[in-house]
Amino acid sequence: GHLGRLRQRMAAACARAGLRGPALVDIRLVSAKTGYGVEGLISRLQRSWKCAGDVYLLGATNSGKSTLFNTLLRSDYCKSRAPDIIDRATVSPWPGTTLNLLKFPIINPTCDRIFRRQERLKEEATKTEDQLSSEEKKYLNQLKKQGYLVGRVGRTFQQQKPSAEIDFDPDMLSYSMDEDPEDPRDPPKKHEEREEFTHNEVKDARWCFDTPGIVKEDCVLNLLTEKEVKLVLPSHAIVPRTFILKPGMVLFLAALGRIDYLEGEKPAWFSVLASNLLPVHVTTLSNADSIYEKHTAQEFLKVPMGGEERMKEFPPLVPQDITLKGIGTTEAVADIKLSSAGWVAVTAPAEEELLLRAYTPRGTALVVREPPLLPYISTIRGARIPGTPAYRTKKPPAFVENLRSTGSR
């Protein structure tokens, strides 16, 4: 179904980028934020241990490498003692923030370990939600409410904690009469040394590295301030917003993208997939320019923010004409990708010819993706909101990957 289609699209994108044949071993769809697909990824990585050296997480800035690094660090992929010793990657929306190359040692997947891990995964897959701790249940419900694909990432090999005997040093506790005891407001003096790996633990280790991230040249995020980037990068599951537009209507995604429906016989559906914090506004062709001039950098269009001063340095929107031919009222014909601000899936009646004009800020990429990534996205919508071109939004159903369903659903 959906996942097979997404894998095919990914394989095609890799082939266009020159990664094909033996170079491309596998494609995995994961969410490090919710754990979806991560246990499967770890099993796959462990199966290719024999022929592999160190592992590097590569990708564009803001694609989630640091989140994945932190998830793998606390999983069966990492040596059991390492999570207490290794720094976690700091997750920040600013490009190139992982400047120091963080790394952790990868556990050697011996036959015994792989067996014990499989036993744990099998056992966990037979659990239902009722058998989880209340903390885990609460966390799952939170993610499910937001319509996420969820997976649980556990650990088979725990570091045995030393017993909690207090081993005190009498010299540390004594102080002479002319010396005050430590003031509790002073920063604590670090007496204990930070734990280190022993030579044996790392002498033959393979390492997993987090990298600083590749800055994409024609990406809209490069034009934005940190505050603006935080609004554009989705922090929650995206809820698709669908609008029905007649020829002569215009859709704005914040002030970062604009799509004009110039010519066509019938109305068409435009489904916006972008951060839920970015506003979408629909207007007419005759009002569009004045709305952009009046409201750019104000609350109404939100990003960019900062009024006239901000707009002096912000590049203008530049147009590109697009012609599309509809497939049917339930299946999108193409996605119009407005740089990294998001994309709009266009659905139109079969054989219907549309002339559109799409705009993105100068110096950023506008891509028409055919076939679209999620062709049936316009069907995930509620009822039409009377008197407007908008439909009520509907959260896609959540899915928990490695739990037994209770049958009540």
Side-chain angles (χ1 to χ4, degrees):
H2 293 317
L3 300 183
R5 191 184 312 109
L6 288 172
R7 278 203 186 88
Q8 281 169 359
R9 301 277 186 278
M10 275 302 303
C14 291
R16 283 196 298 278
L19 268 177
R20 51 166 75 81
L24 187 63
V25 177
D26 201 356
I27 289 171
R28 292 269 158 178
L29 302 171
V30 302
S31 166
K33 180 183 169 115
T34 70
Y36 176 78
V38 174
E39 288 285 27
L41 171 69
I42 291 165
S43 297
R44 180 69 189 82
L45 285 166
Q46 290 184 335
R47 284 205 302 276
S48 58
W49 167 267
K50 293 284 172 284
C51 57
D54 294 334
V55 171
Y56 291 82
L57 300 178
L58 304 177
T61 49
N62 296 313
S63 55
K65 290 182 306 304
S66 295
T67 310
L68 182 57
F69 179 88
N70 292 338
T71 303
L72 292 174
L73 171 66
R74 294 191 296 260
S75 77
D76 282 346
Y77 193 53
C78 174
K79 284 199 176 206
S80 57
R81 211 166 74 83
D84 307 327
I85 299 178
I86 301 274
D87 288 322
R88 285 174 52 188
T90 45
V91 178
S92 146
W94 217 230
T97 30
T98 321
L99 289 176
N100 49 340
L101 212 58
L102 291 171
K103 62 177 185 173
F104 66 73
I106 299 168
I107 203 163
N108 182 351
T110 57
C111 294
D112 170 57
R113 283 185 185 139
I114 283 191
F115 176 74
R116 281 163 56 203
R117 174 178 152 77
Q118 290 308 357
E119 290 297 292
R120 175 182 70 81
L121 292 178
K122 264 196 290 205
E123 186 193 332
E124 292 198 343
T126 64
K127 285 184 180 172
T128 62
E129 272 177 58
D130 307 336
Q131 291 164 285
L132 304 181
S133 68
S134 58
E135 205 175 304
E136 234 191 325
K137 242 188 246 180
K138 204 167 119 190
Y139 175 66
L140 262 190
N141 283 332
Q142 208 179 332
L143 292 174
K144 276 167 42 185
K145 264 195 209 104
Q146 293 164 357
Y148 279 111
L149 297 175
V150 185
R152 292 157 69 239
V153 182
R155 286 183 73 192
T156 313
F157 321 107
Q158 295 284 3
Q159 157 76 354
Q160 293 306 308
K161 289 271 177 281
S163 64
E165 270 180 51
I166 297 172
D167 186 17
F168 65 84
D169 173 353
D171 294 336
M172 277 296 183
L173 300 176
S174 65
Y175 57 94
S176 61
M177 293 308 286
D178 54 351
E179 216 186 304
D180 282 335
E182 283 184 20
D183 187 315
R185 286 166 306 192
D186 286 346
K189 296 186 178 67
K190 272 275 163 84
H191 295 310
E192 87 272 21
E193 280 297 295
R194 186 191 159 111
E195 263 193 275
E196 294 290 341
F197 286 118
T198 63
H199 171 70
N200 269 355
E201 284 175 304
V202 294
K203 71 174 188 327
D204 298 317
R206 309 243 165 102
W207 297 84
C208 176
F209 292 92
D210 188 19
T211 61
I214 299 146
V215 178
K216 287 189 289 187
E217 278 178 10
D218 44 14
C219 175
V220 75
L221 300 177
N222 301 342
L223 304 174
L224 303 180
T225 64
E226 184 160 4
K227 225 174 174 179
E228 291 163 353
V229 168
K230 280 184 170 156
L231 293 176
V232 174
L233 286 179
S235 52
H236 284 72
I238 291 171
V239 177
R241 290 171 276 178
T242 293
F243 302 83
I244 185 164
L245 269 59
K246 295 180 179 137
M249 291 175 88
V250 172
L251 180 145
F252 278 104
L253 174 59
L256 300 175
R258 164 181 168 176
I259 298 175
D260 301 358
Y261 183 6
L262 296 181
E263 288 171 26
E265 291 295 310
K266 296 175 182 160
W269 292 267
F270 292 74
S271 303
V272 178
L273 287 112
S275 160
N276 303 336
L277 302 176
L278 288 185
V280 174
H281 287 289
V282 174
T283 183
T284 58
L285 263 172
S286 49
N287 289 341
D289 289 344
S290 63
I291 279 186
Y292 183 78
E293 276 157 38
K294 185 176 168 194
H295 291 292
T296 312
Q298 316 290 339
E299 190 52 32
F300 185 66
L301 291 173
K302 232 173 200 170
V303 176
M305 55 177 74
E308 281 174 37
E309 281 305 301
R310 173 78 178 102
M311 288 320 290
K312 278 182 190 161
E313 71 215 40
F314 198 77
L317 292 182
V318 292
Q320 181 179 318
D321 284 8
I322 298 164
T323 49
L324 297 173
K325 194 180 206 174
I327 295 174
T329 53
T330 57
E331 187 178 348
V333 51
D335 294 330
I336 298 172
K337 198 167 162 292
L338 303 164
S339 187
S340 297
W343 79 79
V344 181
V346 182
T347 307
E351 300 302 308
E352 178 68 25
E353 296 208 358
L354 314 181
L355 173 61
L356 308 174
R357 183 168 290 155
Y359 299 73
T360 49
R362 180 186 293 137
T364 66
L366 182 110
V367 177
V368 180
R369 186 164 50 199
E370 288 181 277
L373 199 57
L374 301 167
Y376 304 106
I377 198 73
S378 75
T379 59
I380 300 177
R381 61 175 195 235
R384 176 91 175 265
I385 301 171
T388 74
Y391 290 84
R392 295 193 191 283
T393 56
K394 193 162 114 185
K395 283 199 178 85
F399 172 74
V400 184
E401 181 186 41
N402 37 8
L403 277 183
R404 196 160 58 83
S405 67
T406 47
S408 60
R409 252 171 250 128

